[in-house]
Amino acid sequence: MTPPERKLALKQLGPLPIYARVKAMVADKILCGEWRPNDRVPSETELVQQLGFSRMTINRALRELTAEGLLVRMQGVGTFVAEPKRQSSLLEIQNIADEILARHHQHRSDVMLLEECIADREQSAALNMSLGSTIFHSTIIHYENDVPIQIEDRYVNPAIAPEYLQQDFTLITPNIYLNRLAPLTEGEHIVEAVSASTQQSKWLRLAPHEPCLLICRRTWSKQHNVSYARLLYPGSRHRLKGHFMS
């Protein structure tokens, strides 16, 4: 569609505010399949040139479409058509690589940190260990089709996995590795809405002020605490689902 055709199409949407007409035009392209998931959307500058409206008007339309889940904005990268939100079960301890493969997508990971450290109050309580105990710590970014969707910050009981620090977690996830050593028999999830740190925002390519979903997960093998993980997801790219029966 040429710029004059776009303007005519916007006029035909009736007496809506201009930003709402821009929203409707973009949403229609997405919902009809002309713009598909992961397609890059024209930038604010490009839309200003194409449609002839102010940058403030275009910005509001894109911000609202992002809040409604139709678009994903990655700082320094661009704006893209959102995929349907990735979904995890709230009631199961699932391996993120398996979740991604089940969606017929590609998984990869970057190991940002792999170290021995001293447990603080939160970590020692979560692992049922004495304050100041030596524990293992890993920080891993998980990607789906090269889009970062989770920061996994995990603390591990060395008695369960004494060779944890020697593993290549780009080839196997900590979840799979630990489950092979000590099959999980119990888990606990605590879910919070949080703001990301500056570093986390950079790793997840978050838009400014984008909220995140944090899952604090503790796991056990029989009576032994195995690990304590803090799993951070971009709120615009993930949701949880739980199914209950009485």
Side-chain angles (χ1 to χ4, degrees):
M1 185 182 292
T2 65
E5 289 173 332
R6 288 193 181 92
K7 291 180 181 178
L8 177 61
L10 288 170
K11 289 180 181 179
Q12 291 172 343
L13 288 172
L16 292 172
I18 294 175
Y19 83 89
R21 284 185 270 166
V22 175
K23 278 182 64 179
M25 184 202 76
V26 174
D28 182 66
K29 287 181 175 294
I30 294 170
L31 296 175
C32 77
E34 182 177 343
W35 290 356
R36 302 179 62 81
N38 297 317
D39 281 355
R40 183 184 174 279
V41 173
S43 68
E44 289 183 14
T45 300
E46 291 168 334
L47 287 173
V48 167
Q49 293 172 347
Q50 292 173 10
L51 302 177
F53 298 133
S54 72
R55 192 181 190 95
M56 184 179 298
T57 295
I58 300 299
N59 178 270
R60 180 172 178 179
L62 296 183
R63 279 192 292 108
E64 292 196 5
L65 287 167
T66 300
E68 292 166 13
L70 285 178
L71 298 177
V72 173
R73 307 188 81 178
M74 296 187 189
Q75 192 169 18
V77 180
T79 302
F80 301 85
V81 178
E83 290 196 28
K85 283 192 176 183
R86 288 86 171 174
Q87 179 169 292
S88 298
S89 172
L90 183 59
L91 304 179
E92 298 178 25
I93 306 297
Q94 294 189 332
N95 177 44
I96 188 169
D98 291 339
E99 291 182 14
I100 291 170
L101 291 173
R103 293 191 283 266
H104 306 291
H105 292 172
Q106 293 184 332
H107 167 265
R108 71 174 180 86
S109 60
D110 288 337
V111 178
M112 311 308 293
L113 186 67
L114 194 58
E115 65 174 3
E116 181 181 291
C117 65
I118 302 301
D120 63 17
R121 292 188 182 278
E122 177 185 2
Q123 298 148 13
S124 58
L127 292 172
N128 194 28
M129 300 175 70
S130 300
L131 181 64
S133 296
T134 297
I135 57 176
F136 296 150
H137 177 208
S138 59
T139 301
I140 299 171
I141 306 173
H142 294 280
Y143 298 80
E144 180 168 349
N145 291 346
D146 286 325
V147 175
I149 64 165
Q150 184 198 89
I151 298 174
E152 174 191 332
D153 203 36
R154 186 182 294 269
Y155 299 90
V156 175
N157 183 348
I160 299 296
E163 298 181 0
Y164 185 81
L165 300 182
Q166 282 71 57
Q167 306 311 306
D168 184 349
F169 290 119
T170 65
L171 301 178
I172 184 172
T173 65
N175 180 291
I176 290 294
Y177 176 70
L178 293 171
N179 202 36
R180 288 178 182 175
L181 294 178
L184 303 182
T185 57
E186 185 178 352
E188 172 189 88
H189 282 155
I190 298 175
V191 183
E192 301 178 65
V194 299
S195 297
S197 69
T198 301
Q199 181 62 76
Q200 289 168 336
S201 296
K202 183 177 179 181
W203 283 345
L204 290 174
R205 304 176 197 165
L206 299 180
H209 312 299
E210 181 175 348
C212 289
L213 185 67
L214 175 67
I215 302 175
C216 295
R217 173 187 291 171
R218 292 201 296 165
T219 54
W220 289 263
S221 181
K222 297 181 180 178
Q223 74 273 25
H224 302 293
N225 293 71
V226 176
S227 75
Y228 170 54
R230 294 171 57 85
L231 311 174
L232 188 71
Y233 298 87
S236 64
R237 302 174 216 161
H238 200 79
R239 67 178 180 179
L240 294 172
K241 178 180 179 181
H243 181 76
F244 302 86
M245 295 184 67
S246 59

